[in-house]
Amino acid sequence: MIPPQEASVRRREIEDKLKQEEETLSFIRDSLEKSDQLTKNMVSILSSFESRLMKLENSIIPVHKQTENLQRLQENVEKTLSCLDHVISYYHVASDTEKIIREGPTGRLEEYLGCMAKIQKAVEYFQDNNPDSPELNRVKFLFERGKESLESEFRSLMTRHSKVVSPVLILDLISGEDDMEAQDDMTLDHLSENVLHDVIRISRWLVEYGRNQDFMNVYYQIRSSQLDRSIKGLKEHFRKSNSSSGVPYSPAIPNKRKDTPTKKPVKRPGHEHDFRVKHLSEALNDKHGPLAGRDDMLDMEIDAYIHCVSAFVKLAQSEYQLLMDIIPEHHQKKTFDSLIQDALDGLMMEGENIVSVARKAIIRHDYSAVLTVFPILRHLKQTKPEFDQVLQGTAASTKNKLPGLITSMETIGAKALEDFADNIKNDPDKEYNMPKDGTVHELTSNAILFLQQLLDFQETAGAMLASQETSSSATSYNSEFSKRLLSTYICKVLGNLQLNLLSKSKVYEDPALRAIFLHNNYNYILKSLEKSELIHLVAVTQKTAERSYRDHIEQQIQTYQRSWLKVTDYISEKNLPVFQPGVKLRDKERQMIKERFKGFNDGLEELCKIQKAWAIPDTEQRDKIRQAQKTIVKENYGAFLHRYASVPFTKNPEKYIKYRVEQVADMIERLFDTSA
């Protein structure tokens, strides 16, 4: 049970709270009524605003559309005015550019090309919009005149600034191949940078806008002339150098030149040493005879041609580098082909002339002229890879010119080799042409000299011989095959020479002189083979060649020694009278001894007189033969004197005992010595 007092308090609290809630409810009602009233007022305002906004929109939209139309009209007017200005400008192009076009592009190329661009646009406008306009003809005329002026300027620039390359610069360029440090500096600037820039700009304009290719013909004609003249100038340089100093000179690097350089021979391109073609008739003489001048001239011609070939390669490479900047890519090969034709044809014609001269020389059996083919052919084959690289993309007829010349030279060279071998074999036995002293025959010295010359051109000569081979082995040509062919050829020449010498030796009636002649020639051949290392080449196919020659030489020495038998037979022991000391000789025995002494004396004097005029040029062989003969004669004569000098076979011993042993030895010592 809740006490009455607490219940009363609780009821009073509840009543107070209820009263508060009623007051709150009353406040909420009042607020809702006010809110409803405000909402109604706001709806009324918004409705009024919407109505007014619709009225405003209906009034503004027509005004906006009208304004937009006015703006469009204004833009159209501005565009029309701009187009009118543009069109009107085409009517002024002719008058604005006529003076510049008339004066030409010299000195103001960029400005001139700018005017040409304006004229071209005017031509295009009138052709599209007003083809009957007189202005079209006027701007067309200006365009054609401007194009002609540009073509003329191109020709003028190329003509004025294309210079012949000096011989000294060409020689520096060639010699720079072996100098890697100098090679980078050894470039040819055919045109200055400014001129090259103008030429390139004109060529590009003519191709792109001028629709003209005639300038390419102008280009190759001018550059072709300069290339040809540069090579001819180099050849003339050699000719003048030969007539004045005899040695063309070029410093290796331009910036190393001195005021007084030490002159030295220019090495042939690709050659390790300088080759001198010697005239065969000078084989036994110093090179100071009447033919020496011809020999120097021949050598100069070889040097000049070889240098001109190398110069062509270098200059052609340089021309192609220049051409790539100026001529459009798809016209470069054709233009280059035309550009090099004159210079290339000149080289090929000169090469064919060399072949022709060699062919005539073969008919005359003049093999010195034929030898000019060897160094030239070797250089052509060494240079061929560079030639092929330079001529890439040219016509087949152009590419085949050098191989054709090489084939011609190989053919004539092989013909010369075979003809020379036949000539050695068939050289006639002319008595008046035989050396009276039995020395080395001119045919031998000529043959050996010719073979020695081939040493410098082993591969070239081998290739010549291989080019004429029809066997399957020739198709697989290599250096070893070439070497064997050349060895076989040399052995053939030596065999022919030996047969001819045997035939020629029969001209001598005296067998001893015949033996001396063959000895001298065989010895000369052997010593020459050994000295020039020809013996190694011979040994490729004939291992016993050296021993064979030594046997031949020894055989001839023995034949010669038999000539002394008619002297030594008189004093040999056979058929000599046998006597006892103190026993008086019979008349028959005394007469026999006298005849032996007289026969020996007469034979000795006769042989010494005859053989004194004979010659053995080789000092070693001469001493060897003398010594051997002295030994034989001294032994026999010494024994003979020892036996009969004290025998009383005559009242006048000095009449028969004319020589002491030492005197006989001295007489033999003076054999083969025409100066004694």
Side-chain angles (χ1 to χ4, degrees):
M1 282 295 288
I2 299 174
Q5 189 177 357
E6 287 184 9
S8 175
V9 172
R10 181 79 175 269
R11 186 171 53 252
R12 198 169 38 254
E13 288 177 356
I14 292 171
E15 288 175 354
D16 290 339
K17 190 172 185 180
L18 180 62
K19 186 179 180 180
Q20 288 179 358
E21 291 295 334
E22 288 175 350
E23 288 176 357
T24 301
L25 180 62
S26 175
F27 175 75
I28 290 173
R29 283 195 187 99
D30 292 339
S31 294
L32 285 174
E33 289 176 359
K34 288 180 181 179
S35 178
D36 288 340
Q37 186 63 38
L38 288 173
T39 300
K40 289 178 182 179
N41 292 339
M42 180 59 70
V43 169
S44 175
I45 291 171
L46 288 175
S47 297
S48 175
F49 181 75
E50 181 180 7
S51 174
R52 292 180 181 181
L53 187 60
M54 287 181 65
K55 289 180 181 179
L56 179 62
E57 183 177 355
N58 291 334
S59 300
I60 291 299
I61 286 176
V63 174
H64 174 71
K65 288 182 178 180
Q66 188 176 6
T67 303
E68 192 176 52
N69 290 334
L70 288 173
Q71 287 178 341
R72 189 178 296 110
L73 288 173
Q74 184 179 2
E75 289 176 0
N76 289 338
V77 169
E78 289 177 353
K79 287 181 179 179
T80 301
L81 290 174
S82 176
C83 289
L84 285 173
D85 290 339
H86 183 67
V87 170
I88 292 171
S89 69
Y90 288 128
Y91 286 86
H92 293 292
V93 165
S95 57
D96 291 343
T97 60
E98 185 174 8
K99 181 181 178 182
I100 295 175
I101 298 301
R102 186 174 62 250
E103 291 176 353
T106 304
R108 51 177 176 184
L109 180 61
E110 292 302 326
E111 181 183 5
Y112 196 88
L113 292 177
C115 290
M116 290 298 293
K118 293 179 181 178
I119 294 171
Q120 185 179 8
K121 289 179 180 179
V123 170
E124 292 171 354
Y125 170 78
F126 288 121
Q127 284 177 335
D128 293 339
N129 299 283
N130 194 0
D132 298 327
S133 170
E135 287 296 326
L136 175 60
N137 294 329
R138 190 178 178 190
V139 291
K140 270 188 174 181
F141 172 77
L142 281 178
F143 184 81
E144 291 300 321
R145 183 172 181 178
K147 185 170 73 171
E148 290 174 2
S149 295
L150 286 171
E151 293 170 359
S152 177
E153 178 70 3
F154 183 89
R155 180 187 294 273
S156 176
L157 288 172
M158 291 302 304
T159 302
R160 284 187 287 113
H161 297 281
S162 291
K163 305 298 181 184
V164 174
V165 184
S166 70
V168 172
L169 189 55
I170 295 175
L171 290 173
D172 287 345
L173 189 66
I174 296 172
S175 61
E177 291 177 345
D178 300 326
D179 193 336
M180 298 305 294
E181 294 181 359
Q183 197 167 4
D184 293 338
D185 299 330
M186 295 305 299
T187 56
L188 295 177
D189 294 326
H190 296 286
L191 302 174
S192 67
E193 187 175 346
N194 292 336
V195 172
L196 181 60
H197 174 268
D198 288 351
V199 168
I200 292 173
R201 289 284 285 119
I202 294 174
S203 70
R204 289 178 179 173
W205 189 92
L206 289 173
V207 171
E208 187 173 355
Y209 303 109
R211 306 290 189 271
N212 189 320
Q213 297 181 5
D214 291 342
F215 78 94
M216 299 180 198
N217 297 331
V218 171
Y219 177 85
Y220 90 70
Q221 289 168 1
I222 294 173
R223 294 308 307 172
S224 175
S225 174
Q226 301 306 323
L227 175 61
D228 191 41
R229 288 168 59 194
S230 297
I231 294 176
K232 288 179 178 176
L234 177 62
K235 185 176 181 181
E236 186 63 26
H237 174 73
F238 271 85
R239 191 171 286 123
K240 289 180 179 179
S241 298
N242 185 70
S243 61
S244 57
S245 64
V247 180
Y249 169 75
S250 169
I253 307 173
N255 59 13
K256 291 185 179 179
R257 293 176 186 162
K258 298 180 181 178
D259 295 334
T260 56
T262 303
K263 294 191 176 183
K264 57 183 178 181
V266 179
K267 292 197 300 183
R268 289 189 183 142
H271 287 210
E272 294 180 359
H273 60 279
D274 192 28
F275 170 74
R276 309 291 294 180
V277 177
K278 299 179 180 178
H279 194 271
L280 294 179
S281 64
E282 297 179 56
L284 303 177
N285 303 314
D286 290 337
K287 192 176 173 184
H288 300 292
L291 293 172
R294 170 190 165 176
D295 185 48
D296 289 338
M297 183 60 68
L298 193 64
D299 190 64
M300 184 279 294
E301 292 292 339
I302 297 171
D303 272 332
Y305 187 73
I306 286 175
H307 278 84
C308 285
V309 169
S310 292
F312 172 81
V313 173
K314 291 298 178 185
L315 292 177
Q317 289 173 341
S318 180
E319 287 293 342
Y320 192 74
Q321 293 298 320
L322 178 65
L323 177 143
M324 285 195 299
D325 292 331
I326 299 173
I327 304 300
E329 183 176 358
H330 54 288
H331 292 285
Q332 289 174 0
K333 295 296 184 182
K334 182 179 179 181
T335 304
F336 180 69
D337 196 342
S338 301
L339 189 156
I340 61 173
Q341 284 303 315
D342 287 347
L344 182 59
D345 286 344
L347 284 177
M348 296 302 107
M349 185 179 299
E350 191 171 350
E352 290 296 343
N353 289 339
I354 292 170
V355 172
S356 178
V357 169
R359 188 176 290 110
K360 294 175 182 177
I362 292 174
I363 298 174
R364 301 192 311 269
H365 303 301
D366 177 10
Y367 299 98
S368 63
V370 175
L371 284 171
T372 62
V373 172
F374 285 79
I376 293 173
L377 177 58
R378 179 173 69 178
H379 185 67
L380 288 179
K381 296 181 80 170
Q382 289 174 343
T383 314
K384 187 177 181 298
E386 288 186 271
F387 250 97
D388 293 342
Q389 185 177 5
V390 169
L391 300 183
Q392 277 183 352
T394 58
S397 58
T398 303
K399 293 177 182 177
N400 292 333
K401 287 181 179 180
L402 180 64
L405 178 59
I406 289 175
T407 300
S408 296
M409 287 193 169
E410 283 188 335
T411 302
I412 197 64
K415 169 72 172 138
L417 291 175
E418 291 302 321
D419 194 77
F420 180 78
D422 293 340
N423 187 62
I424 293 295
K425 180 179 181 180
N426 301 319
D427 186 69
D429 303 329
K430 297 178 180 178
E431 185 173 351
Y432 65 84
N433 197 36
M434 294 294 289
K436 295 180 180 180
D437 58 359
T439 190
V440 178
H441 197 279
E442 184 181 20
L443 179 68
T444 302
S445 59
N446 288 351
I448 293 300
L449 177 59
F450 186 86
L451 295 179
Q452 287 174 341
Q453 304 279 23
L454 296 184
L455 272 178
D456 292 325
F457 306 99
Q458 294 183 37
E459 289 189 10
T460 304
M464 286 178 176
L465 297 170
S467 68
Q468 305 305 304
E469 290 287 320
T470 56
S471 63
S472 59
S473 60
T475 59
S476 58
Y477 166 74
N478 53 43
S479 59
E480 187 60 32
F481 177 70
S482 165
K483 199 171 185 179
R484 292 191 64 83
L485 277 179
L486 187 57
S487 175
T488 302
Y489 171 77
I490 292 174
C491 292
K492 177 182 178 181
V493 172
L494 293 176
N496 289 349
L497 177 61
Q498 187 172 339
L499 290 173
N500 200 318
L501 289 173
L502 283 171
S503 176
K504 289 182 184 301
S505 67
K506 296 175 182 178
V507 171
Y508 297 113
E509 296 179 0
D510 190 335
L513 181 55
R514 189 181 308 152
I516 290 297
F517 171 76
L518 291 175
H519 164 273
N520 283 334
N521 282 272
Y522 291 155
N523 183 66
Y524 178 83
I525 293 171
L526 178 60
K527 291 294 178 66
S528 299
L529 292 179
E530 292 174 335
K531 186 182 297 184
S532 63
E533 298 185 359
L534 272 170
I535 195 68
H536 300 307
L537 198 52
V538 170
V540 172
T541 52
Q542 280 198 11
K543 305 293 185 184
T544 61
E546 184 175 2
R547 187 178 65 207
S548 176
Y549 273 109
R550 294 194 187 281
D551 291 343
H552 287 318
I553 292 169
E554 189 59 36
Q555 182 181 351
Q556 298 309 318
I557 291 176
Q558 292 174 6
T559 302
Y560 162 75
Q561 288 175 343
R562 284 197 288 271
S563 69
W564 281 83
L565 289 177
K566 62 182 179 180
V567 176
T568 56
D569 276 354
Y570 282 106
I571 57 176
S572 62
E573 292 186 5
K574 64 180 180 178
N575 300 324
L576 284 175
V578 179
F579 60 91
Q580 296 295 328
V583 178
K584 185 177 180 181
L585 294 175
R586 292 176 294 177
D587 291 342
K588 183 179 180 180
E589 292 173 338
R590 285 197 298 270
Q591 185 61 33
M592 183 180 293
I593 295 172
K594 289 178 183 179
E595 289 176 357
R596 294 303 174 91
F597 269 108
K598 187 176 186 304
F600 173 80
N601 293 335
D602 292 346
L604 176 66
E605 291 169 357
E606 181 184 1
L607 279 185
C608 288
K609 181 181 179 181
I610 294 172
Q611 296 184 8
K612 179 183 177 182
W614 297 355
I616 299 179
D618 189 313
T619 304
E620 182 182 348
Q621 287 292 313
R622 184 169 64 240
D623 292 342
K624 175 184 176 182
I625 292 173
R626 282 173 177 171
Q627 187 60 42
Q629 204 56 52
K630 279 194 298 183
T631 301
I632 295 172
V633 175
K634 281 172 65 177
E635 286 180 358
N636 284 273
Y637 187 59
F640 184 75
L641 276 181
H642 180 72
R643 176 175 293 187
Y644 295 107
S646 58
V647 175
F649 65 91
T650 180
K651 294 179 180 180
N652 300 307
E654 65 277 1
K655 179 181 178 181
Y656 297 98
I657 306 175
K658 295 174 64 174
Y659 303 105
R660 300 188 307 276
V661 173
E662 292 74 13
Q663 288 177 308
V664 172
D666 187 58
M667 292 172 69
I668 296 174
E669 185 65 31
R670 290 197 294 272
L671 296 179
F672 317 117
D673 187 1
T674 56
S675 63

